Amino acid sequence: MSQINIPILDLKPQYQAIKAEVQAAINQVLDSGQFILGPVVQAFENDVASYLGVKHAIGVNSGTDALVIGLRAMGILPGDEVITTPFSFFATAESISTVGAKPVFVDIRPDTFNIDPHLIEAAITTKTKAIMPVHLYGNPAAMAQIMEIAAKHSLKVIEDCAQAFGAVYQGDSSGSHENCKETTREQLMGSYVGTIGHVGAFSFFPTKNLGAYGDGGLITTNDDDIAEAARMLRVHGAKERYNNLILGYNSRLDAMQAAILQVKLHHIDEWNNKRRWIADNYSRLLMDVDGVITPAPSAGHVFHQYTIRVLDGNRDRIKQVLTEAGIGSMIYYPIPQDKLPIYVDQYPDLTISNQLAQEVLSLPMWPELSLKQIETVVDSLKA
Ligand SMILES: *Cc1c(COP(=O)(O)O)cnc(C)c1O
């Protein structure tokens, strides 16, 4: 019998490490008697805005709501088209469909798992209003090229940052592919994701790399009008209470989650750096393994997930072997969004995305993972 037990994610060690801080913060909220929005949420919004270097940060109920409200605040209307990646969690396309717009899927690049910027222009029609790149697994998308295309065609950009809090745009990870103007790239280099497009949408779902202990989300923008619209939309479309101007939502960040996130924000750099260290070790140990492709080097990546490609149709067998050895792994995502039942037969095949859905495998990843545990995972995988 195997004594090994390494789950894909274990949130308990992190909580143990910050337990006293978190409980003090929660007690303060309980004592304050103010639970929805209010000064604790405002303090977190201010801190997170200055951490990221963005003018506005607006707390909402979830990452999905951040996308929906972000799209509406940018002015996306029913009938509009929004270009996005097929290779993401369904909330990405769902948010576009929810506002009545149409997701238009553009294939991804096999080295970054992110939208291929070279294919975007061919998908632009007279109805196209926005591009929604996803920084999948914590790896920044090719933002310089995306921003240039958007500027050229007067499109808005909304970044799905749900998996990428603290990720930094450092030029395209395989540079030569990103044939944009050098000035654009230089200007954006070093920016946190969520501060480059017109809107950034973050999720604080507990499993994300900055996770609350419940649902939560955040909209970021440098645009005062978008910020004002988003603040209205999150409280039933009102600027002042009981003076509702547009149809909105009940989508507020609650004070308890904001207090927890405020504590965690102070640790996020350390945790993201540990994720990078874990990824480096995985890649080093997996370097010579036949039939496995490790993630392409990417300086600003925060490794929300460490995801390999398993070639030759061996992915499901390897996943099974790991499970039997007591090691967790996950497939993000087994079905590309354009192939989900809700969109069935509406979209043409996208070769790379369909292929990667058969090859990707995410290995155990959380900041407290030890070198010994990493070695155990790799040894089991090699076996
Ligand atoms: C988690 C996730 C979302 C949705 O976030 P929620 O907070 O769960 O609503 C959106 N997009 C991506 C890429 C995600 O991983």
Side-chain angles (χ1 to χ4, degrees), residues 245-295:
L245 305 170
I246 52 173
L247 284 180
Y249 308 87
N250 171 359
S251 184
R252 286 88 52 119
L253 184 62
D254 70 69
M256 204 92 81
Q257 302 307 336
I260 292 160
L261 289 163
Q262 181 88 296
V263 168
K264 288 189 158 201
L265 185 61
H266 296 129
H267 298 275
I268 192 67
D269 288 340
E270 175 199 332
W271 292 333
N272 281 342
N273 285 333
K274 284 193 175 155
R275 288 174 181 275
R276 292 181 177 121
W277 176 85
I278 292 163
D280 285 348
N281 279 288
Y282 269 134
S283 290
R284 178 176 56 80
L285 294 167
L286 286 167
M287 199 161 53
D288 302 323
V289 181
D290 274 349
V292 167
I293 298 182
T294 57

Side-chain angles (χ1 to χ4, degrees), residues 61-67 87-95 132 134-137 160-164 201-208 214-218 304 333 337:
N61 206 15
S62 68
T64 306
D65 279 10
L67 290 168
F87 209 63
S88 181
F89 178 58
F90 177 52
T92 304
E94 184 185 33
S95 68
M132 183 186 281
V134 178
H135 309 297
L136 198 73
Y137 308 143
D160 182 340
C161 309
Q163 304 189 359
F202 292 86
S203 167
F204 302 128
F205 187 78
T207 62
K208 307 287 168 149
D215 274 311
L218 187 82
H304 171 63
Y333 294 89
Q337 297 186 94

Side-chain angles (χ1 to χ4, degrees), residues 28-188:
Q28 261 181 14
V29 173
L30 291 173
D31 287 336
S32 80
Q34 182 148 9
F35 301 110
I36 303 287
L37 295 179
V40 175
V41 173
Q42 231 161 45
F44 171 66
E45 288 176 340
N46 290 341
D47 281 12
V48 81
S50 70
Y51 174 92
L52 293 172
V54 70
K55 194 164 178 196
H56 303 280
I58 300 145
V60 293
N61 206 15
S62 68
T64 306
D65 279 10
L67 290 168
V68 169
I69 293 175
L71 283 166
R72 281 198 54 200
M74 289 189 335
I76 303 304
L77 296 170
D80 290 346
E81 291 180 1
V82 179
I83 291 173
T84 192
T85 167
F87 209 63
S88 181
F89 178 58
F90 177 52
T92 304
E94 184 185 33
S95 68
I96 299 168
S97 294
T98 295
V99 305
K102 181 187 177 195
V104 173
F105 298 104
V106 163
D107 211 352
I108 57 172
R109 281 183 18 196
D111 53 349
T112 65
F113 307 104
N114 284 326
I115 192 166
D116 186 341
H118 295 99
L119 304 178
I120 291 176
E121 279 199 288
I124 294 174
T125 72
T126 52
K127 292 181 179 170
T128 307
K129 292 289 155 47
I131 308 171
M132 183 186 281
V134 178
H135 309 297
L136 198 73
Y137 308 143
N139 192 22
M143 289 309 291
Q145 208 161 342
I146 291 169
M147 294 312 291
E148 275 189 359
I149 295 166
K152 183 172 159 197
H153 297 272
S154 303
L155 307 176
K156 294 277 200 293
V157 174
I158 173 169
E159 302 173 63
D160 182 340
C161 309
Q163 304 189 359
F165 190 95
V168 179
Y169 176 75
Q170 295 288 20
D172 197 319
S173 51
S174 32
S176 59
H177 292 272
E178 195 174 353
N179 54 358
C180 58
K181 289 194 211 85
E182 198 53 45
T183 47
T184 311
R185 194 186 345 230
E186 267 165 22
Q187 193 193 338
L188 300 182

